[in-house]
Amino acid sequence: HISLFEVGDELLSSPWWIATLFDAYFGFLTFYCWVFYKEPGWPARVLWLAAILSLGNIAMAAYVLLQLSRWKTGEPAER
């Protein structure tokens, strides 16, 4: 057990830290594949990529809420 406030360089070399970081960013990139499919223009794709990679789950939740707000009643989910 290591305190995050006292670790210094030990944290960056920890196998658990590296595994957690890879797991998070693979999840972000997998979600971004859906964003890439849904967004028609390159500017929006690039901005969402930057938002997801910097803000993580906050940006992902914002994107899902945005998509849900655009969804009309009776419209199929496959769109």
Side-chain angles (χ1 to χ4, degrees):
H1 299 276
I2 302 170
S3 170
L4 290 177
F5 299 108
E6 299 174 3
V7 290
D9 293 333
E10 292 177 38
L11 182 64
L12 298 177
S13 63
S14 167
W16 287 109
W17 172 260
I18 295 168
T20 302
L21 200 61
F22 272 99
D23 180 52
Y25 276 92
F26 280 126
F28 297 162
L29 292 175
T30 302
F31 182 85
Y32 178 72
C33 289
W34 179 59
V35 173
F36 188 88
Y37 167 76
K38 294 288 286 180
E39 292 299 322
W42 279 100
R45 288 174 175 171
V46 170
L47 287 174
W48 277 112
L49 177 62
I52 290 169
L53 292 179
S54 61
L55 299 173
N57 289 327
I58 295 170
M60 292 165 56
Y63 188 80
V64 169
L65 290 173
L66 180 66
Q67 291 301 311
L68 287 174
S69 72
R70 293 178 180 170
W71 195 11
K72 295 177 180 48
T73 305
E75 193 174 51
E78 294 84 23
R79 190 191 84 141

